[in-house]
Amino acid sequence: MNSVKKLIAGNWKMNGSLESNTTLLKSILDGDTRADACDAVVCVPSVYLSQINSLIQDAASSRVRLGAQDLSAHEKGAYTGEISVSMLKEFGVSFVIVGHSERRQFHHETDQLVAIKAERALGAGVTPIVCVGETQEEREAGLTEVIVKRQLAAVIHLVGHCISEIVVAYEPVWAIGTGLTATPEQAQSVHAVLRAQLNAAAGDVAQRIRILYGGSMNASNAKSLLTQPDIDGGLIGGASLKALDFLSIIACA
Ligand code: 13P
């Protein structure tokens, strides 16, 4: 079992409103009393970073950290609609998701672009949560390992020795938002592949790189996933929008 502290990250995706965010976050902050057992982060839509940052700051003591869902590959300039890492930092962001499959699929993000974004985040001291994962067709064609290794290799290649500062999230595309979850054994076997790849690239320090599982993780299946030796936390979509579910996943970790 990897001894690293687990990380439970909520990805709110494009959900929420000023009113519902306050209710959700306050319930999470109120219910989250065992502060040292694992780390927790909520990755919220950019327009709500300021709101959530204030709510977290107002809480007397909270381990809940703030995350963004994407960042620009550029530092600044004429990139309409984009948000730079230095802007995210001004709003208290310490984690940022990069290469989520929804960005790869709907915004045509390539392995190379994802790697540049990860490098940009690291350069600013923000931890990138680098997502990798295969589609249903790729799994059926026996390509799972090839795909996730290719996606991670692009990041390893670009960020070099800083690789130990990233978080990896294995999110099989076929398990996202579908209610289909990878079995603990299926997830563990891919996590072991990723761990071996990180070990080869970074040596011993790879042991402290957290590899999260994401894809229909919920209050009932979290425990069996989180007790696998190479699963160091979760990246939670739907269940992170319900305070009680998110809190029970945190409790499992
Ligand atoms: P679900 O938990 O809703 O399947 O989403 C997973 C995910 O994409 C988290 O980034």
Side-chain angles (χ1 to χ4, degrees):
M1 179 75 64
N2 204 357
S3 58
V4 72
K5 202 174 188 185
K6 287 198 166 29
L7 171 66
I8 299 299
N11 175 6
W12 290 7
K13 306 194 179 183
M14 197 174 71
N15 292 292
S17 66
L18 288 170
E19 192 183 343
S20 67
N21 296 344
T22 302
T23 311
L24 173 58
L25 200 82
K26 285 197 165 158
S27 310
I28 292 172
L29 293 171
D30 288 348
D32 182 34
T33 47
R34 291 167 40 206
D36 49 358
C38 75
D39 294 327
V41 53
V42 288
C43 300
V44 310
S46 305
V47 289
Y48 296 132
L49 287 171
S50 169
Q51 179 200 13
I52 305 299
N53 189 32
S54 303
L55 288 169
I56 291 175
Q57 300 299 324
D58 288 349
S61 66
S62 169
R63 65 168 148 190
V64 178
R65 312 276 298 276
L66 185 57
Q69 298 175 9
D70 185 34
L71 78 165
S72 176
H74 304 283
E75 198 179 325
K76 64 174 184 166
Y79 301 101
T80 303
E82 299 226 16
I83 299 176
S84 73
V85 72
S86 56
M87 295 172 184
L88 296 177
K89 274 193 82 169
E90 284 200 292
F91 289 92
V93 165
S94 43
F95 289 84
V96 59
I97 298 172
V98 297
H100 192 281
S101 62
E102 287 148 16
R103 301 237 25 118
R104 293 180 191 261
Q105 183 181 352
F106 303 127
H107 300 271
H108 312 291
E109 294 199 3
T110 61
D111 295 342
Q112 183 60 21
L113 180 65
V114 172
I116 293 170
K117 289 184 173 191
E119 186 187 39
R120 185 68 72 193
L122 286 169
V126 171
T127 304
I129 302 176
V130 176
C131 299
V132 300
E134 82 288 3
T135 62
Q136 179 79 49
E137 299 73 54
E138 288 161 346
R139 173 161 281 262
E140 282 166 8
L143 292 173
T144 300
E145 236 183 80
V146 174
I147 298 294
V148 298
K149 284 171 86 171
R150 188 202 72 210
Q151 292 171 334
L152 184 57
V155 179
I156 292 173
H157 180 71
L158 198 65
V159 309
H161 68 275
C162 292
I163 196 69
S164 60
E165 304 304 320
I166 75 168
V167 170
V168 177
Y170 169 54
E171 296 208 312
V173 179
W174 48 272
I176 294 178
T178 56
L180 291 174
T181 318
T183 63
E185 296 72 28
Q186 279 174 325
Q188 166 56 29
S189 85
V190 178
H191 281 235
V193 165
L194 296 169
R195 179 84 62 206
Q197 187 179 9
L198 292 166
N199 276 334
D204 286 348
V205 289
Q207 289 307 323
R208 62 182 167 88
I209 302 176
R210 293 184 283 197
I211 310 178
L212 316 182
Y213 169 79
S216 300
M217 190 186 270
N218 57 40
S220 3
N221 60 28
K223 189 162 187 194
S224 58
L225 288 157
L226 292 169
T227 46
Q228 295 299 311
D230 289 299
I231 300 188
D232 309 313
L235 182 54
I236 328 290
S240 74
L241 299 171
K242 295 178 214 130
L244 285 180
D245 290 21
F246 192 58
L247 287 168
S248 39
I249 296 172
I250 289 178
C252 290

